[in-house]
Amino acid sequence: MNHNGNRPVEEEYRSSQMYKTLTGAGIPAADKLAQGLGKAAAGLDAALNAAAPVVKSAVQGYQEGKRTGGPGPAPQPNPGANGQTQYTYRYTGAPPRQAPPQPQAPVPPSGGQTAQPQRRDAGGYQSRQAPPQRPPQARRPAGVSPAPPPQMPPMKVVHMGSPAKYYITGVVALLYAMNVQMMEPSQWAVFGIVVLLTFLLSGALFRGKKRLVPVEEPKPEPKPEPKKEPEPQKKSETGNPEVDKIIDEGHAMIKKLRAANDAIPDEALSADIDRMERASADIFNYIAQHPEKAQQIRKFMNYYLPTTLKLLGSYERLSRQSVKGENITSTMFNIAGMMHTVADAFEKQLDSLFTDEAMDISADITVFETMLKQEGFVEENRTGK
């Protein structure tokens, strides 16, 4: 290579397709970008031309030193082409190292035994020196196999894009906007073309890197939990078939009442239906324990519950209408207001079942209190109250 003013990098850039594309686009910003890259190539050529004589003299000194085999002289000044003083270093190499003398093994005596080194103690007597003992090596227990080498996870090649194209495109767009007026649509179109070309060219120059990353194992999908089927309602066994039928039909109506409650979104109405469910469940539980009072809930079974379910079904059907006129709105309002009264009636029906029991309990309390007074365990109120 000739270093006297050669410009190989700049010439390579001038003959490249990128330079021809930038200069042939007829865009001021592209011309400026081409000129800037040309200046950078020229600067790189100048740096290479300045460093070439020093590198060449160092190589020549190294080769001459290998031929002579002795230490080279001190660096000598060498006037350069530009009048600047340069230094040429000559490396002649160091003298070869000599291997240390190997200790010779002692000659064994005629008996065939190896002679032991002799040493004298304080009394002048000779004693044999024990041979050096080697440190015991740890042994692996029998039946224990060595640990297997760690397994590397499976890897895959991922292309990591370089962010340089975004930075270069942003800088070019900023310089273009600062130096070129963009008042007409055609000027904006040229600006878009410049930005697009810059992005594509910088992306072709800076392609990024490829890296190995571990392959992520697919996570196991959770198994769907089996739906629990509702337990069948146990049939009543009071010993009276007629009472058992009443209780079973009552539980079936309570299920329909709960289904209607789930289908109705109104919170106030839902609270009244909750009251009716609790009162109805307590009524049938009481009848199961006192079958003789089943006749007292005939009207409750034959009219109150069926009519309530019918009204709630009408309310749920009207609430599904997309357009609610005056008739639908007023009917729903009346049903919701009626359900509050029905909930009070269900609770009173439950309370009426305890009428006889309450009277019996009151009579027991009166008799018990009278006996305590007769025995003198309770003092009578002196005021006569």
Side-chain angles (χ1 to χ4, degrees), residues 36-340:
L37 294 175
K39 292 179 180 180
L44 184 58
D45 285 329
L48 292 175
N49 292 330
V54 179
V55 175
K56 183 177 180 181
S57 60
V59 172
Q60 292 175 354
Y62 174 74
Q63 293 176 353
E64 185 177 355
K66 289 183 66 176
R67 288 195 301 268
T68 58
Q76 301 295 330
N78 183 19
N82 298 330
Q84 297 179 358
T85 302
Q86 299 180 353
Y87 288 88
T88 303
Y89 292 86
R90 178 179 299 173
Y91 175 78
T92 58
R97 295 183 179 180
Q98 296 181 358
Q102 299 290 337
Q104 297 181 357
V107 180
S110 59
Q113 297 181 357
T114 303
Q116 299 292 337
Q118 304 293 329
R119 67 176 182 177
R120 297 178 180 273
D121 54 7
Y125 297 97
Q126 296 182 354
S127 61
R128 294 184 179 180
Q129 184 178 2
Q133 297 181 358
R134 296 182 180 179
Q137 297 181 355
R139 295 183 178 180
R140 185 171 63 250
V144 178
S145 58
Q151 297 181 357
M152 295 296 293
M155 308 294 285
K156 65 178 180 180
V157 179
V158 178
H159 182 267
M160 307 295 292
S162 175
K165 56 184 177 181
Y166 300 103
Y167 298 134
I168 296 174
T169 305
V171 172
V172 171
L174 181 61
L175 294 175
Y176 187 92
M178 293 174 60
N179 297 319
V180 181
Q181 287 186 349
M182 293 182 291
M183 304 297 294
E184 298 180 358
S186 59
Q187 296 175 345
W188 281 98
V190 173
F191 173 73
I193 295 173
V194 171
V195 172
L196 179 60
L197 290 175
T198 305
F199 183 80
L200 295 177
L201 291 174
S202 57
L205 292 176
F206 303 95
R207 296 181 178 273
K209 298 180 180 179
K210 293 182 179 180
R211 296 181 181 178
L212 290 175
V213 296
V215 179
E216 296 182 358
E217 297 182 358
K219 296 182 180 179
E221 297 182 357
K223 297 181 179 180
E225 297 181 358
K227 296 183 179 179
K228 296 182 179 179
E229 297 181 358
E231 297 181 358
Q233 182 68 32
K234 295 182 180 180
K235 293 185 178 182
S236 177
E237 297 179 357
T238 60
N240 189 340
E242 185 176 356
V243 176
D244 292 340
K245 182 179 179 181
I246 292 173
I247 295 174
D248 294 338
E249 291 178 356
H251 286 304
M253 290 185 180
I254 292 175
K255 289 183 179 180
K256 295 180 180 179
L257 198 64
R258 187 176 298 110
N261 191 5
D262 295 337
I264 294 174
D266 187 273
E267 295 183 359
L269 181 57
S270 180
D272 292 333
I273 299 175
D274 289 339
R275 292 173 55 197
M276 288 187 278
E277 288 184 38
R278 290 192 296 267
S280 300
D282 291 341
I283 288 172
F284 291 111
N285 290 335
Y286 185 84
I287 295 300
Q289 298 176 2
H290 303 83
E292 68 279 2
K293 294 188 177 182
Q295 298 298 327
Q296 297 184 17
I297 63 169
R298 284 290 181 181
K299 186 177 292 186
F300 175 78
M301 277 288 302
N302 297 332
Y303 185 74
Y304 291 167
L305 271 177
T307 305
T308 302
L309 292 174
K310 181 180 178 181
L311 293 176
L312 291 177
S314 300
Y315 184 94
E316 193 269 333
R317 186 176 64 258
L318 293 175
S319 64
R320 293 199 305 266
Q321 305 303 317
S322 58
V323 179
K324 297 179 178 60
E326 182 179 355
N327 293 330
I328 295 177
T329 305
S330 61
T331 303
M332 293 176 61
F333 180 78
N334 293 333
I335 293 175
M338 182 63 186
M339 290 300 105
H340 188 75

Side-chain angles (χ1 to χ4, degrees), residues 326-383:
E326 182 179 355
N327 293 330
I328 295 177
T329 305
S330 61
T331 303
M332 293 176 61
F333 180 78
N334 293 333
I335 293 175
M338 182 63 186
M339 290 300 105
H340 188 75
T341 305
V342 173
D344 293 340
F346 279 26
E347 292 173 351
K348 290 180 180 180
Q349 176 68 54
L350 174 62
D351 186 69
S352 65
L353 296 175
F354 290 88
T355 301
D356 296 338
E357 186 174 353
M359 293 178 61
D360 294 340
I361 294 174
S362 179
D364 292 340
I365 292 174
T366 302
V367 172
F368 189 48
E369 186 178 8
T370 301
M371 291 180 63
L372 292 175
K373 289 180 180 180
Q374 289 177 356
E375 295 294 333
F377 294 109
V378 177
E379 295 183 356
E380 296 183 0
N381 193 353
R382 297 180 180 179
T383 58

Side-chain angles (χ1 to χ4, degrees), residues 13 15-24 33-34 37 201-202 205:
Y13 166 70
S15 61
S16 65
Q17 185 65 30
M18 183 175 66
Y19 178 76
K20 296 177 181 180
T21 303
L22 292 175
T23 55
L33 179 60
L37 294 175
L201 291 174
S202 57
L205 292 176

